[in-house]
């Protein structure tokens, strides 16, 4: 059983947290986040409190300090067991202490123990972390400050009870400001929350500040999307080492960060592959019944997911294989094993998709994944797995390890739906599965992002990737990033490396990425100056250290139990040297200046959680939305949000749902209705004996004439329709296009349609 009390302690005392201030500094693709948490002990006894809160999964925590009254204590990174013992010793000898550590189960959960805060005393805790910003489908860089710590499902159907606290009762405030600078102009910054207008700091518009509008209630994630002009320029940042560190060590040498955007030859990209085994794994846990965002008018997550599956199934190429799994506490599949894609199998799958509901309980993702991987692969049909979930699981590391173990046999594309989906889970699935991750929150439509990932999945797999360095004599390079295993057209790859040795300020380096694509050898090059940038605050070093620490931790988990004790020591050494957190270390701060014996016993605030969780969840700093909870508590047969009157179907989806698997449309009353015409109007101008051809041309003209703003959603299925059309060798194309334009009131040119 895992019980969490929103913002109340066990004895129903209010949380001693007063306010949170967050400052974000974004430099190009990298962000430094400084959070200050202000506490006050309002009880009449000394307090020990444990807070559990989420950070982005790939954040590198690099500074932790506490200020009590006039005293500031800066934490040091130590081996975890040693840190815990020092914390206990400090408390028992009457000293104040603070301990910050990463959860054993998931790298994006931290617990903070605030020990021995005297009655009436205030403490402010400062936490700094650095993070790479992920590139979204539309080239926006995404930063997310998680507000909601969803209860993590534990395997074996543990029940979850949560008391939620409405936003109006949140006793603490959040202030949030961001400063963005880049070599390229900042074109816009968008957010899921209301922002004050963007302020540019210079005429080139390469520096800007933005902050949250006043009165923000921390009732949801704060998500920022940052857009630069010419986002696809490759860049290199060389950062000077730390003056106090020894040359030759990671912190003492310069570190380079490269952002690469491989561009593939057009000839290869136009030949989209028409084979593959597409496996879709859909979350149907209770919380998928809640809305995409806080507004009542939005559709539920599950209905958005159903529309998305419709588009995916219509866009698959003839001759491929597919299957659809869905999961909650248990899992189901539509076919016992993947079947060939045809009109019959597509129709059978869509019938089952239409009745899918959010009625399968918890988020138990490990078992369906094991089942998918136990199926033999189909020769010359590369397996592509699409995972859709809004969930947080507490066995994140096990799930990601399973995907990694099978990374040789498939690519994994992941989608985090709604606020609060775990970035560690979603990014980890895609990273270890050689695919791509997308987050769909708030008012985003799911479809464009998913269709972009399908386009990636249809790209030929890039193989034989190698990175070679050309550096001046006397300079050597040590890679800090694991080898690149996947590349997608127009997607960023980041590489970190340590540069050892001396070079003149004018010296240049060059890095070449070579790879093979659909049998063609290709390469991309980037030349860069070796002169280090000053005052970058060691951000690049810390991200490089974090990258290396993460790959070593992965290696340690794979070899656990074998006699290779060296990896853990290496991680601890790196973590202590760079000041970056890891799963084997913790931040410990002890206030040695205060040895007054403590009056009366310490009040310890915590809520028991399962032993494998290894942390006390006291008051989570975050609270849960009532609707998610009610969805979890609902008995399996209770009615879902489906009984509400369904809004009329989106005309685009209505037209798409009529397309045949081969790509064509049939001339019938349903098509006429979708085009907003009567059967007679559609039949009358039809050139002789071309029913399917005429219907398909009408559908294509309608898409180009009325739905260009949603082109990324229907582009693949239109390409399929055009291929079908060309194969018919129709004689009277020009005449059909002209008649179709006249009927629909459009002016779409024949070459635009691809005919």
């Amino acid at each position: 059983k895992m019980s969490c009390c929103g913002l109340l302690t066990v004895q129903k005392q209010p949380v001693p947290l007063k306010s949170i201030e967050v400052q974000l500094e974004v430099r190009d693709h990298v962000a430094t986040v400084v959070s200050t948490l202000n506490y006050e002990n309002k009880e009449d006894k000394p307090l020990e409190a444990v807070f559990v809160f989420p950070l982005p999964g790939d954040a590198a925590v690099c500074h932790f300090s506490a200020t009590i009254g006039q005293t500031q204590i800066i934490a040091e990174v130590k081996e975890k067991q040693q840190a815990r013992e020092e914390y206990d010793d400090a408390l028992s000898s009457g000293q104040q202490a603070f301990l910050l550590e990463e959860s054993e189960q998931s790298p994006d959960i931290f617990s903070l123990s605030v020990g021995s805060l005297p009655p009436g005393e205030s403490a402010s805790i400062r936490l700094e972390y650095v993070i790479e910003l992920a590139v979204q489908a539309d080239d926006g860089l995404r930063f997310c400050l998680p507000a909601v710590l969803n209860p993590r499902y534990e395997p074996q159907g543990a029940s979850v009870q949560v008391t939620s606290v409405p936003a109006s009762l949140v006793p603490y405030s959040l202030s949030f400001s961001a400063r963005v600078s880049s070599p390229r102009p900042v074109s816009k910054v968008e957010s899921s929350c209301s922002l004050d207008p963007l302020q540019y700091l210079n005429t080139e518009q390469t520096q800007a500040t933005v902050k949250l509008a006043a009165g923000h209630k921390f009732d949801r994630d704060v998500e920022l999307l940052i857009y630069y002009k010419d986002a696809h320029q490759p860049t290199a940042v060389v950062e000077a080492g730390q003056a106090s560190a020894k040359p030759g060590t990671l912190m003492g040498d310069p570190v380079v960060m490269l952002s690469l955007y491989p561009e593939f030859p057009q000839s290869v990209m136009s030949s989209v592959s028409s084979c593959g085994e597409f496996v879709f794994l859909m979350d149907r846990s209770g919380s998928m019944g809640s809305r995409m965002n806080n507004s009542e008018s939005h559709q539920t997550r599950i209905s958005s997911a159903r529309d998305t599956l419709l588009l995916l199934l219509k866009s698959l190429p003839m001759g491929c294989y597919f299957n659809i799994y869905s999961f909650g506490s248990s899992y189901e599949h539509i076919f016992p094993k993947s079947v060939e894609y045809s009109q019959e199998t597509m129709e059978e799958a869509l019938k089952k998709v239409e009745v899918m509901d959010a009625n399968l309980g918890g988020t138990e993702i490990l078992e369906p994944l094991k089942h998918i991987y136990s199926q033999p692969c189909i020769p010359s049909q590369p397996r592509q797995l699409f995972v859709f979930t809004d969930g947080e699981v507490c066995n994140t590391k096990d799930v990601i390890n399973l995907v990694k173990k099978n990374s040789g046999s498939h690519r994994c594309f992941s989608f985090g739906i709604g606020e609060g989906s775990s970035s560690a889970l979603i990014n980890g699935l895609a990273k270890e599965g050689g695919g791509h991750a997308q987050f769909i929150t708030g008012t985003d439509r799911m479809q464009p992002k998913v269709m972009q990932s399908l386009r990636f999945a249809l790209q030929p797999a890039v193989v034989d990737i190698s990175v070679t360095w050309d550096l001046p004599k006397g300079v050597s390079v040590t890679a800090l990033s694991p080898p690149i295993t996947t590349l997608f057209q127009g997607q960023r790859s980041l590489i970190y490396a340590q540069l050892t040795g001396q070079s003149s300020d004018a010296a240049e380096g060059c890095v070449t990425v070579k790879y093979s694509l659909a049998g063609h050898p290709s390469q991309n090059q980037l030349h860069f100056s070796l002169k280090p940038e000053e005052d970058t605050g060691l951000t690049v070093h810390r991200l490089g250290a974090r990258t290396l620490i993460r790959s070593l931790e992965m290696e340690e988990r794979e070899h656990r139990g074998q006699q290779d004790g060296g990896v853990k020591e290496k991680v601890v050494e790196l973590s202590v040297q760079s000041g970056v957190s890891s799963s084997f270390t913790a931040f410990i701060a002890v206030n040695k200046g205060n040895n007054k014996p403590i009056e009366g016993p310490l009040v310890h605030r915590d809520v028991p959680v399962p032993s494998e969780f290894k942390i006390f969840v006291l008051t989570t700093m975050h609270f849960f939305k009532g609707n998610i909870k009610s969805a979890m508590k609902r008995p399996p047969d209770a009615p879902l949000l489906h009984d509400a009157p369904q809004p009329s179907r989106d005309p685009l989806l209505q037209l798409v749902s009529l397309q045949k698997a081969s790509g064509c449309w049939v001339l019938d009353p349903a098509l006429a209705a979708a085009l907003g015409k009567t059967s007679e109007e559609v039949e009358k101008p039809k050139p002789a004996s071309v029913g399917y051809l005429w219907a398909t041309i009408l559908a294509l003209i309608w898409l180009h004439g009325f739905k260009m703003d949603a082109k990324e959603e229907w582009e693949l299925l239109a390409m399929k329709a055009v291929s079908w059309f060309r194969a018919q060798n129709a004689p009277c194309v020009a005449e059909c296009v002209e008649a179709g334009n006249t009927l629909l009131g459009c002016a779409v040119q024949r070459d635009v349609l691809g005919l």
Side-chain angles (χ1 to χ4, degrees), residues 32-349:
T32 304
V33 186
V34 180
S35 298
T36 309
L37 311 170
N38 297 310
Y39 296 97
E40 188 180 355
N41 179 10
K42 294 192 168 136
E43 307 206 11
D44 48 13
K45 301 187 187 65
L47 179 73
E48 177 181 17
V50 184
F51 299 90
V52 175
F53 52 93
L55 288 179
D58 31 13
V61 176
C62 54
H63 171 92
F64 172 64
S65 61
T67 305
I68 301 154
Q70 299 303 304
T71 317
Q72 190 197 27
I73 343 164
I74 295 176
E76 295 172 73
V77 178
K78 302 204 170 166
E79 190 278 323
K80 204 174 239 183
Q81 203 44 50
Q82 183 191 346
R84 285 174 180 171
E85 285 166 11
E86 285 189 22
Y87 176 77
D88 291 341
D89 291 350
L91 292 195
S92 56
S93 65
Q95 294 171 327
Q96 287 161 346
F98 300 84
L99 179 72
L100 178 75
E101 57 184 324
E102 204 177 284
S103 139
E104 311 271 333
Q105 257 58 44
S106 183
D108 58 350
I109 297 293
F110 280 78
S111 67
L112 163 63
S113 309
V114 179
S116 180
L117 199 53
E121 186 76 86
S122 301
S124 90
I125 286 169
R126 181 183 160 108
L127 187 69
E128 247 179 75
Y129 62 86
V130 284
I131 186 168
E132 299 166 357
L133 299 182
V135 183
Q136 300 301 285
D138 59 0
D139 290 335
L141 294 177
R142 176 177 186 267
F143 168 76
C144 182
L145 183 69
V148 181
L149 180 57
N150 280 341
R152 297 285 166 116
Y153 277 103
E154 297 150 63
Q156 293 93 44
S159 67
V160 178
Q161 294 145 355
V162 180
T163 35
S164 75
V165 173
S168 57
L169 298 181
V170 177
Y172 58 84
S173 60
L174 168 75
S175 65
F176 177 91
S177 61
R179 182 189 162 109
V180 181
S181 57
S182 161
R184 296 179 287 286
V186 181
S187 49
K188 60 178 177 177
V189 176
E190 294 176 350
S191 174
S192 54
C193 308
S194 22
L195 299 174
D196 286 348
L198 189 68
Q199 304 280 322
Y200 286 109
L201 303 179
N202 59 3
T203 45
E204 300 80 42
Q205 303 197 335
T206 55
Q207 295 191 2
T209 58
V210 66
K211 59 179 203 279
L212 268 190
H216 175 78
K217 285 290 184 200
F218 209 173
D219 58 343
R220 55 193 150 137
D221 295 358
V222 177
E223 182 183 56
L224 278 194
L225 292 163
I226 298 163
Y227 296 86
Y228 298 130
K229 292 200 174 75
D230 309 324
H232 284 212
Q233 295 300 315
T235 53
V237 177
V238 177
E239 182 179 80
Q242 203 172 7
S244 58
K246 178 157 114 242
T249 62
L250 172 62
M251 296 309 284
D253 280 345
V255 168
V256 60
M257 174 178 79
L258 304 170
S259 330
L260 304 173
Y261 281 94
E263 290 295 334
F264 298 164
Q266 197 44 53
S267 55
V268 180
M269 291 312 297
S270 52
S271 63
V272 166
S273 90
S274 59
C275 59
E277 177 197 5
F278 296 87
V279 181
F280 304 109
L281 177 58
M282 180 61 69
D283 187 341
R284 285 172 55 195
S285 60
S287 50
M288 286 288 287
S290 57
R291 304 272 168 200
M292 284 297 287
N293 72 355
N294 294 349
S295 113
E296 278 310 301
S297 58
H298 274 88
Q299 59 182 154
T300 59
R301 295 170 181 184
I302 192 78
S303 73
S304 182
R306 282 195 297 267
D307 290 348
T308 303
L309 280 173
L310 165 72
L311 276 172
L312 280 167
L313 286 173
K314 295 289 181 176
S315 304
L316 290 179
M318 289 296 274
C320 75
Y321 284 72
F322 80 104
N323 201 354
I324 299 175
Y325 283 70
S326 56
F327 69 95
S329 305
S330 57
Y331 68 91
E332 301 171 0
H333 38 71
I334 289 185
F335 305 107
K337 60 177 192 194
S338 293
V339 293
E340 190 168 347
Y341 176 74
S342 66
Q343 185 60 29
E344 293 67 46
T345 55
M346 180 188 82
E347 278 180 359
E348 187 180 339

Side-chain angles (χ1 to χ4, degrees), residues 725-741:
F725 195 96
R726 285 185 180 152
Q728 312 306 308
N729 290 323
C732 50
V733 180
E735 183 191 341
C736 283
V737 171
E738 193 178 333
N741 272 317

